Amino acid sequence: MPILPVILWTDALVYILLAAVAGFVWYVRRHEHLRAPWWRVAQTPAAMSALVLLAAFMFAGLLDSVHFRLALPATPATQEGKDAPRSVAYAVEVKSVLDVLLSSIANRPERTYSAPLATHAYAKETVEVEGADGKFVKQVRDYPRLKYGGAHLTDPQREWRSDVTLSAFRGLALALPLWLLLSLFLVAACTPLEQVASRDFWRDVWGGKTEVPWRAVLITLAGVLLVIVPVVFLSGRYHVLGTDKVGLDVLYLSLKSVRTALVIGTLTTLVMLPFSVLLGIMAGYLRGLADDVIQYFYTTLNSIPAVLLIAAAVLALQVYIETHPGMFPTAAQRADFRLLWLCIILGVTSWTGLCRLLRGEALKLRELEYVQAAQAFGVSQWRIMLRHILPNVMHIVLISVVMDFSGLVLAEAVLSYVGVGVDPSMISFGTMINAARLEMGREPMVWWSLASAFVFMLALVLAANLFADAVRDAFDPRVRIGGRKMRLAGEA
């Protein structure tokens, strides 16, 4: 079937970010002073375990960042007895690769709420009871069967438990060989083959004696697969995490929310870094009038409540979209542009903290001997800031970017909850929480939408925080010096 590739604004920025990360990795591998701290990160078991979990989230986000439009079915067109040439018409709906992979659960909506792994609806409805001859007998209040969840079962009360158990065991049985293959491929890709073929090497791996904590990596990978593969088997027959008010699968909504969280957490930094790095270094190194103007600027910006500024910007964008409908032909493009605008606003309102840190560091660095020597030799101020100040503050930039990621993910959820976040048609953790707000107050209580968003956000934010802690410990010289002094005192 023909497809029309669609590159949204955030898709393009994600691709640029991937290219930048690849270039950064290539640059780090060529410089020992940058490779050493990253090697310390790779030697931290908690960081590598968190990286495995983050890689799973990023893989889902990348699959959801490849968009296209499907061609509409062909219609017969004849002219003078011959087929007339026709142009291919494409659907208005924009899909992603993740949508195609999840079509088995995305295209199976129920009427309304259903509990996780349920075969019947969550609330009673009026059901028509038929007699033995197939004719209508009476109407009763009962829990109707779901259209898709457990539809293959003849007698759900007797067959449900054994069917769920069998499907889960099938997933676990497939997860084991898949884990072995992925583990062997991952270790072989990062280790010389002669070591991989050695029995002593694998003994060291499971003994935790390797430089790279392979034991932690492989155990985390096993845990991820033991969750994903059984869920894949169960999702073909049931709604694993239930359905929401309009019958959409909550597992599908949770996986689609991952991209929104990753885009907010990463693209916002692209907006924040130019402001904070440039203005922070300029304020600390130039001092005088430049320092006063920059301090006045970010102090004034901090005095404005961030929520009010974001709300005003989102409302202004909404008016712009409504007055220029021709620029946004599809709902996906309108929602994506609002997501991009939200990233810009969050970046504009969150750069001041890093700017303060860089200003203080630049004030210290400009008094060091090598900077004063460069000034004595007549080196220009811009060259000193680029060649001497900027490389020596990059550890602060890197630590701040990694640690701010989780805060930005939570910020999106809060903003969407209060109605000034992403577009309501875009799936995100914030919109899921907002929809679950009223569900928690009904009777019987619908708890699985909020619980699913909470678990996914907890896993993403916790993994990001663990990785950020390792990056901070590896790049912050004060932490390294303090840890070395503690080790020396313990040995003494």
Side-chain angles (χ1 to χ4, degrees), residues 142-427:
D142 199 359
Y143 298 98
R145 284 288 302 272
L146 297 179
K147 185 178 180 180
Y148 298 102
H152 62 289
L153 300 178
T154 305
D155 187 358
Q157 293 184 351
R158 297 179 56 186
E159 301 174 3
W160 176 83
R161 186 183 300 275
S162 59
D163 184 71
V164 170
T165 304
L166 181 60
S167 298
F169 272 109
R170 286 175 180 173
L172 295 175
L174 180 60
L176 180 59
L178 185 60
W179 172 72
L180 292 175
L181 290 175
L182 288 178
S183 300
L184 185 61
F185 173 78
L186 187 62
V187 174
C190 304
T191 309
L193 293 179
E194 56 271 13
Q195 293 187 17
V196 177
S198 173
R199 183 178 300 178
D200 295 335
F201 172 76
W202 290 103
R203 187 181 297 112
D204 292 339
V205 166
W206 295 113
K209 299 178 181 179
T210 54
E211 289 187 316
V212 177
W214 285 115
R215 182 175 64 178
V217 172
L218 298 183
I219 291 175
T220 306
L221 180 61
V224 172
L225 292 177
L226 288 176
V227 172
I228 292 178
V229 180
V231 166
V232 171
F233 273 78
L234 289 170
S235 62
R237 298 185 172 188
Y238 302 93
H239 300 288
V240 179
L241 298 180
T243 57
D244 63 357
K245 185 177 182 179
V246 295
L248 294 179
D249 192 280
V250 175
L251 176 61
Y252 171 74
L253 298 177
S254 301
L255 292 174
K256 288 286 290 183
S257 301
V258 171
R259 178 186 181 271
T260 305
L262 292 176
V263 167
I264 290 289
T266 55
L267 296 188
T268 302
T269 60
L270 296 180
V271 180
M272 176 184 69
L273 286 182
F275 290 99
S276 56
V277 174
L278 178 63
L279 297 181
I281 293 177
M282 286 179 59
Y285 180 76
L286 298 178
R287 296 192 302 185
L289 180 61
D291 186 20
D292 294 338
V293 172
I294 293 173
Q295 285 193 73
Y296 180 81
F297 179 57
Y298 66 62
T299 302
T300 304
L301 186 61
N302 276 341
S303 65
I304 304 174
V307 175
L308 295 181
L309 184 61
I310 293 172
V314 169
L315 292 176
L317 175 67
Q318 194 66 31
V319 173
Y320 180 81
I321 291 176
E322 292 176 356
T323 55
H324 299 80
M327 297 180 61
F328 312 98
T330 63
Q333 290 174 318
R334 291 193 294 271
D336 183 76
F337 190 75
R338 178 166 171 171
L339 175 62
L340 176 63
W341 184 251
L342 182 62
C343 293
I344 294 174
I345 296 302
L346 284 175
V348 169
T349 56
S350 60
W351 61 271
T352 55
L354 180 57
C355 182
R356 281 196 179 102
L357 292 176
L358 296 180
R359 174 185 174 272
E361 191 70 13
L363 284 172
K364 181 183 70 176
L365 292 175
R366 75 182 308 276
E367 303 297 335
L368 298 181
E369 290 80 0
Y370 64 90
V371 175
Q372 294 181 353
Q375 294 172 346
F377 279 106
V379 180
S380 65
Q381 293 181 336
W382 286 104
R383 187 173 181 84
I384 292 176
M385 286 188 287
L386 291 176
R387 293 296 300 273
H388 299 292
I389 305 296
L390 180 60
N392 287 284
V393 299
M394 284 306 296
H395 68 283
I396 298 178
V397 175
L398 186 60
I399 293 170
S400 299
V401 167
V402 176
M403 299 192 70
D404 287 346
F405 172 83
S406 57
L408 292 170
V409 173
L410 297 175
E412 180 276 325
V414 174
L415 292 174
S416 297
Y417 174 76
V418 299
V420 294
V422 299
D423 190 84
S425 63
M426 175 170 283
I427 303 172

Side-chain angles (χ1 to χ4, degrees), residues 1-6 66-72 88-91 93-97 100:
M1 179 182 293
I3 62 173
L4 177 65
V6 176
V66 181
H67 290 93
F68 54 86
R69 293 164 61 183
L70 296 174
L72 295 174
V88 179
Y90 295 94
E93 184 182 6
V94 178
K95 292 183 174 292
S96 68
V97 174
V100 175

Side-chain angles (χ1 to χ4, degrees), residues 24 28 32-48 394-400 402-403 465-484 487:
F24 178 73
V28 167
E32 177 63 28
H33 69 284
L34 294 176
R35 191 165 63 247
W38 281 111
W39 178 244
R40 286 192 291 271
V41 174
Q43 292 176 318
T44 307
M48 298 306 292
M394 284 306 296
H395 68 283
I396 298 178
V397 175
L398 186 60
I399 293 170
S400 299
V402 176
M403 299 192 70
N465 285 341
L466 290 175
F467 189 76
D469 289 342
V471 172
R472 181 198 60 194
D473 295 342
F475 280 86
D476 194 343
R478 292 170 298 181
V479 174
R480 296 203 304 270
I481 294 173
R484 189 179 300 113
R487 288 194 301 271

Side-chain angles (χ1 to χ4, degrees), residues 20-30:
V21 170
F24 178 73
V25 171
W26 175 82
Y27 183 79
V28 167
R29 295 187 64 180
R30 293 171 58 91

Side-chain angles (χ1 to χ4, degrees), residues 83-118:
D83 291 338
R86 67 176 185 87
S87 59
V88 179
Y90 295 94
V92 176
E93 184 182 6
V94 178
K95 292 183 174 292
S96 68
V97 174
L98 186 66
D99 291 328
V100 175
L101 295 177
L102 299 179
S103 58
S104 61
I105 61 176
N107 299 329
R108 299 188 308 163
E110 304 291 348
R111 289 185 59 187
T112 183
Y113 299 113
S114 65
L117 298 174

